[in-house]
Amino acid sequence: MTKQPLAEPNADREAPLSWTERFYRAVPVSPIWVGVGIAVGLLALFLAIAWAFGGLTIVRSGDLELWEYREARFGILVAVLAGYLPTARRYVVLGAKKNLGDLSSLLESSSRGSAAAQRRFGRLDARAARRAGLLGILLLPITALLVDRDPALFLQREYYGAEQVFAWIVGAWVVWSFGAFVYATLGYARRFSDLAGQLERIDLLDLQKLAPFARQGLRSALLWLVLLSLVSLNAVDLIWFSTLAAIALVGGTAALILPVRGIHLRLRQAKQ
């Protein structure tokens, strides 16, 4: 029986058919520059809104430092995260493709590896990705309550100034992107863990070929740590920051451990 060829590492078959993925694939620059462009554009929009509605006047008057002005903190934070999170998700996808390609020699030596790789690294379920984004939306009111712990405040008309509306609208995109980022990170982590079971033989004298499993975990964990550093821009709100920092640490730990769980089991079996 003829083996089916392993998916080429540059084939973008596993990416969900979302408009953000199509956008990142269509723009002929590195994803990091796409993210920077999104963040800079939103920062410029926020500054224009703050200038038009008097927010910058408060800072220029000297009554408050920029980072003491809460609306400025959140406006800057959500703009930066709006550029970072979809970019981080894109790098998870690209890393998974690259690492799968690096494992191709091991997979093709397996009677099941080639077909299994194509099956397990087909597109992430677009519907599941959308559900993850919708679940992420639930974080928006939760994070708002962590900052303003009086729900009645959100029912007051005076609360909704231009800067607050900007933060809520862009924040909705941020938490949607966060949900999609979590889904991609954990989805590929599970795939790499399962992929180890498709390897028929582990050569204990040549472990370098197994490095892609570790690289997937390290890349994903690094992206979570960058997220943690960006969240620290609003460390002034201690309860809010502590909660999100704990989420980022748990996510980063899972992203580091899950991709190598399967191969660690196979190594133990091979040693025994």
Side-chain angles (χ1 to χ4, degrees):
M1 182 180 295
T2 304
K3 288 184 183 179
Q4 296 180 0
L6 185 66
E8 290 295 326
N10 290 328
D12 207 2
R13 297 180 59 189
E14 67 266 27
L17 292 178
S18 65
W19 72 267
T20 52
E21 281 296 313
R22 292 196 298 268
F23 176 71
Y24 273 84
R25 292 167 59 187
V27 177
V29 296
S30 176
I32 191 172
W33 296 115
V34 179
V36 168
I38 293 172
V40 170
L42 288 172
L43 282 171
L45 176 60
F46 173 74
L47 291 175
I49 291 173
W51 177 80
F53 290 89
L56 292 182
T57 303
I58 298 174
V59 176
R60 288 201 307 267
S61 67
D63 295 337
L64 290 175
E65 296 293 336
L66 178 63
W67 227 242
E68 294 175 333
Y69 185 38
R70 190 183 68 173
E71 283 70 22
R73 289 201 312 272
F74 277 103
I76 294 171
L77 178 63
V78 297
V80 172
L81 290 178
Y84 174 74
L85 283 168
T87 302
R89 181 187 179 282
R90 181 61 177 161
Y91 275 114
V92 171
V93 174
L94 293 176
K97 292 192 301 177
K98 174 63 167 59
N99 291 321
L100 176 62
D102 292 342
L103 288 170
S104 60
S105 61
L106 288 179
L107 293 169
E108 289 171 353
S109 66
S110 167
S111 61
R112 298 172 300 163
S114 183
Q118 292 190 54
R119 183 174 65 254
R120 299 300 296 166
F121 281 84
R123 290 193 186 106
L124 289 174
D125 190 334
R127 290 175 297 179
R130 286 193 294 270
R131 287 196 296 269
L134 289 172
L135 287 174
I137 292 289
L138 297 177
L139 289 175
L140 189 59
I142 294 173
T143 54
L145 285 170
L146 290 173
V147 177
D148 296 307
R149 289 175 289 281
D150 181 8
L153 182 63
F154 304 118
L155 302 178
Q156 299 177 14
R157 184 175 181 180
E158 295 78 10
Y159 172 80
Y160 295 97
E163 291 111 324
Q164 287 87 349
V165 171
F166 173 89
W168 277 88
I169 293 175
V170 180
W173 162 249
V174 167
V175 292
W176 175 285
S177 299
F178 176 74
F181 171 65
V182 172
Y183 174 71
T185 301
L186 299 184
Y188 281 117
R190 290 193 299 269
R191 278 165 160 73
F192 270 91
S193 182
D194 293 344
L195 191 63
Q198 306 300 324
L199 303 178
E200 292 182 347
R201 180 175 177 273
I202 300 293
D203 186 355
L204 294 176
L205 300 179
D206 188 13
L207 297 181
Q208 183 60 34
K209 291 182 178 179
L210 304 179
F213 290 98
R215 285 201 296 268
Q216 181 67 23
L218 289 171
R219 173 183 285 232
S220 299
L222 176 60
L223 292 170
W224 277 94
L225 289 177
V226 174
L227 176 61
L228 174 60
S229 68
L230 294 178
V231 169
S232 67
L233 293 173
N234 190 44
V236 175
D237 293 299
L238 187 58
I239 296 178
W240 180 93
F241 170 70
S242 299
T243 303
L244 268 66
I247 293 173
L249 288 173
V250 170
T253 301
L256 179 65
I257 293 175
L258 288 178
V260 298
R261 183 177 61 179
I263 199 63
H264 281 172
L265 176 61
R266 293 298 310 280
L267 285 171
R268 287 197 299 270
Q269 292 172 345
K271 290 176 181 178
Q272 290 172 358

